[in-house]
């Protein structure tokens, strides 16, 4: 009897083992078509990136003579021989380098105060430092025009009327003005890159330097900053390329003074009479600079070690600042929030409540007439608000869906292939929006997509899906593959595993990525300015139109956009999600 029972048990065990092995092998094989969706997502990303870049490169080499075309370097030769272009490139380089330098200092300082010190209110400032990321650079630029414009600046007149201080020497319509506003809005980028590594850094690494007699500044310069080199260089590269290629702020602050920059030159080249070859040559030059910088960054970081977390248990310790140190840190944080958020918002509110802005606010003449005109009496703004919401909602949803597939491939695909895929899919991070918009304009012209909302949507997704992919991929990397293997061994399909296992675990990252894309799409101007047509205007485009007509109308529409962006920020806080990777 006993041998019979034992044989039956062994037989059942073998059957169960063979069944599990068959299920595992079946799960490992590419079965149903949904399993290929991550590859489809990567291929779609490749097309979105490579397509406009190849179109820009080809157009820069084509010279048309009547109906005939030939390959030539004439466009590049014209650019390098034109002294005015030299000035534009020089101004762009100055803006990019200065913005990167000041953003690195401010971003690192803010992140260090929040992550490594006992400054009071750190939990509030951790959130507050991100608010400028959710605001529009163009709105920030016109806000500072309202504050510091000669003769009509609110701050200029306030100090003159109440303190007798003449600040007329301040010229917001200048390169320093452009750098000032760009620094304000790009500091959060560095902050986002640096704060997570600072939190993960083992304080014992710095304590060891202090034990051997190193002071605070020596330790900061020779221990902390070198260990943060990957994060700082990544942030610097993104800030330099994107700030140098930003169209919004130079349009508002440099163009009125006749100061030329690369983005405004590209914009001028595609206006009537258009010169797409010249604009494309500009784009290729920017792309070459971006690639060279990225290669230099990789070569610099290769072969170096940057371990900030040791194998021993550790607990990050906060630096005690002392009474005066805490006061100084708190004052510095309040100054940044005040300059970046409070003052521009106050200026927008006061100007939006004044029908004719003269640089001084009269409460007796305050009215909602500007809001009434913008929201109810001007059809262009009504259509622009609808278009922006459509682009933001649909674009964020499609972008997150695409990013989920790409993140899956980048974390579960073959190591060699996903390394190449990650490199290509990350290219839009260093490409200015106006360059990518130019590429899609070249692709779409003479096609049914030209002058449609669809081409604007495609350009938005192509420009910004890497932000969502990185956010989702960061959390994807923390998921153990055994969770998926268990579901597949139990008979779940790939689609069921994605729906019931992966997506619920990725929910915080999905929400954060969706809100991030929604915010960016609501405020985007660089790609839109080249692709929009009558009927496809967005809020940012109409802001440019209204800025030439009336300060009050522009301020009222800017407040509408600001409320949309702050609403997205409030949703992010209500859902307890964060775009800071910890």
């Amino acid at each position: 009897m006993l041998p019979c029972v034992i044989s039956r048990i062994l037989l059942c065990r073998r059957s169960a083992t063979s069944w599990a092995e068959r299920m595992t092998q079946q799960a490992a094989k590419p079965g149903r078509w949904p399993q290929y969706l991550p590859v489809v997502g990567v291929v779609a990303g490749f097309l979105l990136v490579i397509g406009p870049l190849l179109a820009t490169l080809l157009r820069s080499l084509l010279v048309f003579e009547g109906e005939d075309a030939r390959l030539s370097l004439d466009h590049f030769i014209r650019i390098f021989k034109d002294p005015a272009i030299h000035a534009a490139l020089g101004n762009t380089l100055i803006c990019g380098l200065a913005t990167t330098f000041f953003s690195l200092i401010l971003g690192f300082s803010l992140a260090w105060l929040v992550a490594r010190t006992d400054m009071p209110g750190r939990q509030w400032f951790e959130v507050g430092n991100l608010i400028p990321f959710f605001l529009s650079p163009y709105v920030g630029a016109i806000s500072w025009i309202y504050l510091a414009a000669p003769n009509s600046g609110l701050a200029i007149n306030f100090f003159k009327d109440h303190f007798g201080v003449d600040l007329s020497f301040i010229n917001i319509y200048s390169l320093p003005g452009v750098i000032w506003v760009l620094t304000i809005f790009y500091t959060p980028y560095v902050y986002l890159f640096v704060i997570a590594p600072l939190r993960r850094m083992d304080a014992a690494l710095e304590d060891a330097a202090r034990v051997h007699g190193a002071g605070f500044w020596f330790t900061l310069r020779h221990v902390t900053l070198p260990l943060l080199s990957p994060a700082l260089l990544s942030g610097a590269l993104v800030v330099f390329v994107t700030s140098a290629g930003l169209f919004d702020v130079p349009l508002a602050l440099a163009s009125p003074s006749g100061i030329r920059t690369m983005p405004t030159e590209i914009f001028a080249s595609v206006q009537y009479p258009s010169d797409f070859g010249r604009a494309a040559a500009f784009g290729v030059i920017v792309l070459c600079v971006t690639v060279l910088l990225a290669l230099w960054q990789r070569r610099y970081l290769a072969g170096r070690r940057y371990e900030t977390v040791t194998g021993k248990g550790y607990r990050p310790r906060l630096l005690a600042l002392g009474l005066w140190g805490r006061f100084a840190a708190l004052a510095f944080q309040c100054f940044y929030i005040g300059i970046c958020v409070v003052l521009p918002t106050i200026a927008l509110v006061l100007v939006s409540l004044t029908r004719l802005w003269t640089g001084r606010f009269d409460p007796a003449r305050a009215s909602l007439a500007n809001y009434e005109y913008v929201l109810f009496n001007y059809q262009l703004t009504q259509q622009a608000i609808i278009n922006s919401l459509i682009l933001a909602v649909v674009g964020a949803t499609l972008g997150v869906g695409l990013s989920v597939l790409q993140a899956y491939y980048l974390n579960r695909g073959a190591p060699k292939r996903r390394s190449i895929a990650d490199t290509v899919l990350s290219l839009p991070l260093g490409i200015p929006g106006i360059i990518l918009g130019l590429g899609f304009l070249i692709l779409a012209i003479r096609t049914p997509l030209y002058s449609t909302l669809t081409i604007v949507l495609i350009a938005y997704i192509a420009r910004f899906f890497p932000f969502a992919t990185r956010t989702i991929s960061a959390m994807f990397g923390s998921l153990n593959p055994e969770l998926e293997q268990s579901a597949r061994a139990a008979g779940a399909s790939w689609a069921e595993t994605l729906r019931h296992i992966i997506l619920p675990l990725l929910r915080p990252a999905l929400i954060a990525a969706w809100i991030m894309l929604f915010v960016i799409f609501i405020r985007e101007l660089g790609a839109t300015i080249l692709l929009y047509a009558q009927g496809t205007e967005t809020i940012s485009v109409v802001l440019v139109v209204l800025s030439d007509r009336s300060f009050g109308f522009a301020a009222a529409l800017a407040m509408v956009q600001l409320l949309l962006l702050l609403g997205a920020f409030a949703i992010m806080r209500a859902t307890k999600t964060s775009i800071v990777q910890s």
Side-chain angles (χ1 to χ4, degrees):
M1 184 71 178
L2 182 60
C4 182
V5 173
I6 293 176
S7 63
R8 288 193 176 188
I9 292 174
L10 292 175
L11 180 62
C12 292
R13 183 176 179 182
R14 287 173 188 157
S15 300
T17 303
S18 61
W19 177 83
E21 291 175 352
R22 288 197 305 271
M23 292 301 299
T24 303
Q25 292 173 359
Q26 184 178 0
K29 294 179 181 179
R32 301 175 183 176
W33 65 268
Q35 292 180 335
Y36 294 102
L37 284 178
V39 178
V40 174
V42 172
V43 172
F46 274 41
L47 294 176
L48 288 173
V49 174
I50 297 175
L53 300 187
L54 286 179
T56 304
L57 175 61
L58 180 61
R59 187 62 185 85
S60 69
L61 297 174
L62 286 178
V63 176
F64 289 91
E65 297 174 350
E67 295 183 357
D68 299 328
R70 61 182 176 85
L71 294 177
S72 173
L73 296 175
D74 288 354
H75 298 304
F76 294 95
I77 295 173
R78 276 198 301 148
I79 286 177
F80 288 113
K81 284 186 175 181
D82 189 349
I85 303 303
H86 296 169
L89 290 173
N91 292 334
T92 302
L93 187 63
I94 291 172
C95 289
L97 290 174
T99 300
T100 303
F101 176 76
F102 293 118
S103 296
L104 283 173
I105 294 176
L106 278 176
F108 171 78
S109 301
L110 294 171
W112 185 80
L113 289 174
V114 169
R116 304 303 298 275
T117 72
D118 63 347
M119 178 186 66
R122 288 182 300 116
Q123 66 277 14
W124 296 101
F125 287 117
E126 177 183 359
V127 178
N129 290 336
L130 292 175
I131 294 179
F133 179 85
F134 287 81
L135 305 181
S136 164
Y138 185 77
V139 171
I142 63 175
S143 298
W144 277 97
I145 291 175
Y146 302 154
L147 284 168
N151 302 320
S152 62
L154 183 66
I156 300 292
N157 291 331
F158 177 83
F159 279 97
K160 183 178 181 180
D161 296 341
H162 293 83
F163 302 101
V165 178
D166 185 10
L167 299 178
S168 58
F169 63 90
I170 297 177
N171 183 15
I172 196 66
Y173 297 108
S174 62
L175 282 184
V178 173
I179 294 169
W180 169 257
V181 176
L182 287 175
T183 299
I184 287 174
F185 286 93
Y186 278 100
T187 292
Y189 285 74
V190 178
Y191 177 85
L192 286 170
F193 273 98
V194 172
I195 190 168
L198 272 173
R199 282 181 172 153
R200 292 195 298 262
M201 184 182 296
D202 189 351
L205 300 171
E206 297 168 307
D207 292 342
R210 296 192 185 99
V211 166
H212 287 82
F216 169 78
W217 293 109
F218 185 90
T219 303
L220 180 68
R221 189 168 65 253
H222 294 282
V223 178
T224 307
L225 291 179
L227 288 172
L228 292 174
S229 292
L232 289 172
L233 285 176
S234 298
L237 180 61
V238 171
V239 170
F240 173 77
V241 175
T242 54
S243 65
L246 190 71
F247 174 72
D248 313 35
V249 178
L251 174 68
L253 302 180
S255 294
S257 297
I259 300 174
R260 309 168 74 168
T261 63
M262 182 271 298
T264 56
E265 285 297 309
I266 293 176
F267 176 70
S269 297
V270 299
Q271 303 306 302
Y272 183 83
S274 59
D275 189 346
F276 287 100
R278 180 174 179 267
F282 263 116
V284 171
I285 293 173
V286 174
L287 292 178
C288 291
V289 172
T290 301
V291 171
L292 290 175
L293 288 174
L295 292 176
W296 171 82
Q297 180 200 29
R298 290 197 172 194
R299 183 175 180 181
Y300 179 82
L301 296 178
R304 290 174 169 82
R305 300 178 60 192
Y306 297 95
E307 288 89 348
T308 59
V309 180
T310 63
K312 301 179 181 179
Y314 76 96
R315 180 182 178 184
R317 291 185 294 276
L318 300 179
L319 177 66
L321 296 176
L323 179 60
W324 289 107
R326 296 174 72 189
F327 176 79
L330 186 63
F332 176 71
Q333 278 281 358
C334 291
F335 174 79
Y336 175 75
I337 298 297
I339 289 294
C340 296
V341 181
V342 178
L343 275 181
T345 303
I346 290 175
L348 282 178
V349 171
L350 296 183
V351 176
S352 68
L353 295 175
T354 305
R355 302 195 68 169
L356 181 62
W357 181 249
T358 61
R360 293 174 174 83
F361 178 69
D362 185 0
R365 296 185 178 181
S367 73
L368 298 176
N370 293 325
Y371 290 95
E372 181 181 0
Y373 176 80
V374 165
L375 295 175
F376 304 108
N377 298 333
Y378 193 35
Q379 186 177 0
L380 183 61
T381 56
Q382 297 170 356
Q383 185 63 49
I385 293 172
I386 294 173
N387 289 341
S388 291
L389 288 174
I390 291 174
L391 289 170
V393 173
V394 177
T397 303
L398 294 177
V400 168
L402 181 65
S403 298
V404 168
L405 300 177
Q406 294 173 353
Y408 187 97
Y409 185 88
L410 294 177
N411 284 274
R412 300 292 186 262
K416 292 183 179 179
R417 294 179 181 177
R418 69 191 189 196
S419 176
I420 298 174
D422 185 41
T423 301
V424 176
L425 295 176
S426 299
L427 284 176
L429 292 173
I431 301 175
I434 197 167
I435 302 296
L436 209 62
L438 174 65
F440 278 105
L441 176 63
I442 295 171
L443 281 175
I445 200 166
R446 297 180 183 177
T447 70
L449 288 176
Y450 183 66
S451 299
T452 64
L453 208 59
T454 303
I455 191 62
V456 179
L457 177 65
I458 295 173
Y460 279 12
I461 295 174
R463 170 70 179 89
F464 295 108
F465 75 79
F467 288 93
T469 300
R470 292 206 165 193
T471 300
I472 296 171
S473 185
M475 179 167 282
F476 210 120
S478 66
L479 302 184
N480 195 316
E482 294 178 358
L483 297 171
E484 303 161 56
Q485 295 169 3
S486 300
R488 302 295 296 279
S493 66
W494 182 87
E496 291 172 335
T497 302
L498 181 69
R499 177 182 176 185
H500 297 290
I501 303 296
I502 298 176
L503 292 182
L505 293 174
L506 291 177
R507 184 175 297 152
L510 297 178
I511 295 174
W514 194 93
I515 293 175
M516 183 191 304
L517 292 184
F518 178 88
V519 166
I520 293 174
F521 292 174
I522 284 287
R523 74 184 193 189
E524 173 62 13
L525 177 62
T528 322
I529 200 70
L530 298 183
L531 296 172
Y532 86 95
Q534 186 176 1
T536 63
E537 296 90 349
T538 63
I539 294 177
S540 296
V541 171
V542 178
L543 275 173
V544 176
V545 175
L546 290 179
S547 296
D548 294 330
R549 289 184 50 190
S550 167
F551 280 172
F553 294 159
L557 184 59
M559 283 300 301
V560 173
Q561 185 188 67
L562 181 64
L563 290 175
L564 289 173
L565 297 176
L566 292 180
F569 179 77
I571 292 174
M572 186 195 76
R573 297 306 305 162
T575 54
K576 298 181 179 179
T577 57
S578 175
I579 58 177
V580 179
Q581 299 177 9
S582 60

